[in-house]
Amino acid sequence: MSVHKKQELKKITTHQLQEMKNRGEKIAMLTAYDYSMAKIIDGAGIDIILVGDSASNVMAGNETTLPITLDQMIYHASSVVKAVKRALVVVDIPFGYYQGSSGEGLRSSIRIMKESGAHAVKVEGGSEVKDSVLRILSAGVPVMGHLGLTPQSIYKFGTYSVRAKEEAEANKLIEDAHLLQECGCFGLVLEKIPAELARKVASSLSIPVIGIGAGPDVDGQVLVMQDMLGINQEFKPRFLRRYADLNAVITGAVGKYVEDVKAKSFPNEDEKY
Ligand code: KIV
């Protein structure tokens, strides 16, 4: 294997992500929840795979991220980890497993790391979850923050619309972003906030800031894989770019299979023993 090939396969670490920010190289992050898809996107060169609690929506069909359990997140994460050779795997600690007490946050993150083999965890919120963040970090578990539209708080917000448009909320977000960096978070996700605010946060923090619906002036981008591949057709926010229409591809393939089975043209002579 050439030196170049070896370098390509070098595992992504939180330190490498920091170096990427330092040299201005953008970070590409996507969600995955299962072995087969994680294998494809890792092979395609994704830097971070997020086992997001969006699994609650896209895998389990729930309306929100709130119902997913820690056991279910560990199941998804361990399937993803088995497939990944290069990307950093970050796992969402689900709703209800870190907000109540820092001890519970620590226990949840240790279970995720031990039982799935993932490399880091992500939590939503700022000052409200500071104690949990510090306690998890004290155990040597890398933590990623998440501010702006934080879906675990959807019933507080009432809608999935753009956050931090007003000055007070924008100021709180800036404070929280600096707090999370001071605590020792290795990175931060900013979801659905004005691009100018995201630019301000990313340029004032030294840690990598990854945006979703936060404009181009951040250190990287994250999307939910089912959305960007066009599997999920109903979700059409302005920030989403569709890179494929897999819904049409799968519908066409399954339709043809049904047709062939009904017409008795599958299996044929070559497809039997
Ligand atoms: O759960 C998730 O998929 C996320 C991303 C939207 C950042 O948190």
Side-chain angles (χ1 to χ4, degrees), residues 54-76:
S54 49
S56 178
N57 309 99
V58 295
M59 301 304 285
N62 294 313
E63 232 174 77
T64 73
T65 59
L66 275 66
I68 199 159
T69 65
L70 187 61
D71 284 339
Q72 287 166 336
M73 287 301 296
I74 290 170
Y75 164 76
H76 286 297

Side-chain angles (χ1 to χ4, degrees), residues 29 31 33 50-55 57 65 73 92 122 124 146 151 189 191 212 222-224:
M29 173 168 165
T31 65
Y33 319 99
L50 172 66
V51 183
D53 57 0
S54 49
N57 309 99
T65 59
M73 287 301 296
D92 267 330
K122 176 163 84 58
E124 295 184 5
H146 183 158
V189 167
E191 180 164 354
I212 172 163
V222 55
L223 287 174
V224 169

Side-chain angles (χ1 to χ4, degrees), residues 71-232:
D71 284 339
Q72 287 166 336
M73 287 301 296
I74 290 170
Y75 164 76
H76 286 297
S78 59
S79 311
V80 166
V81 167
K82 281 179 218 149
V84 170
K85 291 195 161 64
R86 176 180 172 274
L88 185 90
V89 179
V90 181
V91 182
D92 267 330
I93 309 186
F95 175 69
Y97 293 91
Y98 61 99
Q99 292 96 342
S101 78
S102 60
E104 188 171 18
L106 177 65
R107 279 190 295 281
S108 304
S109 66
I110 288 176
R111 277 202 60 201
I112 289 173
M113 302 297 281
K114 252 191 195 302
E115 295 176 38
S116 76
H119 312 128
V121 298
K122 176 163 84 58
V123 298
E124 295 184 5
S127 55
E128 313 78 15
V129 296
K130 180 184 167 196
D131 291 347
S132 285
V133 169
L134 286 173
R135 193 101 184 254
I136 296 167
L137 284 163
S138 75
V141 177
V143 179
M144 185 170 224
H146 183 158
L147 297 172
L149 177 64
T150 46
Q152 292 180 11
S153 306
I154 190 59
Y155 290 115
K156 182 177 87 180
F157 299 144
T159 74
Y160 285 98
S161 52
V162 180
R163 302 306 314 173
K165 288 205 281 196
E166 307 302 329
E167 201 180 334
E169 195 178 333
N171 288 340
K172 160 96 169 93
L173 186 145
I174 293 169
E175 267 172 36
D176 280 342
H178 284 268
L179 176 78
L180 291 168
Q181 172 171 281
E182 277 155 31
C183 286
C185 287
F186 74 88
L188 176 65
V189 167
L190 291 180
E191 180 164 354
K192 223 170 173 189
I193 62 167
E196 179 48 26
L197 175 61
R199 187 199 62 74
K200 210 166 152 183
V201 173
S203 63
S204 66
L205 290 191
S206 54
I207 58 171
V209 174
I210 313 292
I212 172 163
D217 298 320
V218 286
D219 306 305
Q221 299 292 330
V222 55
L223 287 174
V224 169
M225 189 173 49
Q226 275 72 2
D227 298 338
M228 62 85 78
L229 291 179
I231 293 175
N232 176 10

